[in-house]
Amino acid sequence: MTIYLMPIGDIDLLIIEQIRQAVICAFGMPVEILAMTSNPTYAYEPKRNQYYSARILEKLTELIPNPDDKILGIANVDLATPVLTFVFGEAQLNGNACVISLERLKQEFYQLLPNQQLLISRAVKEAVHELGHTFGLLHCHDRACVMHFSSNIVGIDQKQLNFCADCLTVLKKKLQSL
């Protein structure tokens, strides 16, 4: 099994590489970076000036070389769902595809000065979190666990990059069954 990273739009190569390294550490499997694609105009919702994450997930599933592989889209656009005003990311539970957005992870989104290290920290947590869902992990009650649900940027900053003991046990069982 391989995990593929798909940059969607102009994504800083340093961010992609940091996500790649974090994903290798978290899941212990090969990670390949696919060629960058353009912004997902097919997912744009003009009434909201946002992009529907489910439409991006549909496209990503078409790009998976092997049905056992996983793919993570990394986008620079603001994501939403029809029922949520925004999402940091979305994943197919026990599926193959997930996507994260860097847009609301940037300090600039909140009218603050840019902070590359903080952006990278947030991006790697969200990447591991969403990929965790593709392996069947649910949201965790432990606020420090990377699988804890974050409804705002403060929640992302407060959690760690690591899985709690319970989530790690579930993940190891899932990985052993592959």
Side-chain angles (χ1 to χ4, degrees):
M1 174 188 286
T2 300
I3 297 174
Y4 293 93
L5 304 182
M6 167 64 73
I8 303 170
D10 188 20
I11 309 295
D12 185 326
L13 294 176
L14 176 63
I15 294 171
I16 296 167
E17 180 57 27
Q18 292 295 315
I19 289 172
R20 187 183 76 78
Q21 290 177 19
V23 168
I24 290 170
C25 289
F27 300 99
M29 55 187 54
V31 176
E32 292 185 25
I33 300 169
L34 299 174
M36 193 174 291
T37 64
S38 60
N39 276 337
T41 54
Y42 56 87
Y44 185 66
E45 179 49 55
K47 291 178 183 173
R48 297 184 55 178
N49 195 28
Q50 291 177 301
Y51 295 76
Y52 279 158
S53 51
R55 293 179 191 158
I56 297 171
L57 291 177
E58 288 174 19
K59 282 282 193 195
L60 289 171
T61 56
E62 296 171 5
L63 301 172
I64 299 171
N66 179 322
D68 294 331
D69 292 336
K70 308 284 185 189
I71 188 167
L72 165 69
I74 306 163
N76 243 342
V77 297
D78 195 21
L79 299 179
T81 69
V83 296
L84 296 173
T85 56
F86 75 92
V87 292
F88 294 116
E90 185 178 0
Q92 298 169 331
L93 186 62
N94 282 310
N96 301 86
C98 58
V99 61
I100 64 167
S101 168
L102 302 180
E103 188 65 18
R104 290 180 187 252
L105 302 180
K106 298 174 185 173
Q107 287 288 83
E108 302 93 308
F109 186 84
Y110 307 97
Q111 288 77 49
L112 299 170
L113 293 175
N115 184 327
Q116 181 82 344
Q117 284 309 113
L118 190 55
L119 172 60
I120 290 170
S121 172
R122 292 169 175 170
V124 297
K125 290 176 192 177
E126 283 306 297
V128 170
H129 177 96
E130 295 304 339
L131 279 165
H133 287 315
T134 68
F135 286 98
L137 295 178
L138 302 174
H139 287 144
C140 181
H141 67 280
D142 183 341
R143 290 184 183 271
C145 179
V146 73
M147 292 309 299
H148 185 70
F149 175 73
S150 299
S151 60
N152 56 49
I153 202 71
V154 173
I156 295 172
D157 291 341
Q158 290 176 339
K159 66 184 174 182
Q160 302 297 311
L161 180 56
N162 304 315
F163 296 102
C164 70
D166 291 341
C167 289
L168 189 57
T169 298
V170 172
L171 179 62
K172 284 183 178 179
K173 286 180 184 174
K174 295 275 186 177
L175 292 174
Q176 287 172 352
S177 68
L178 298 177

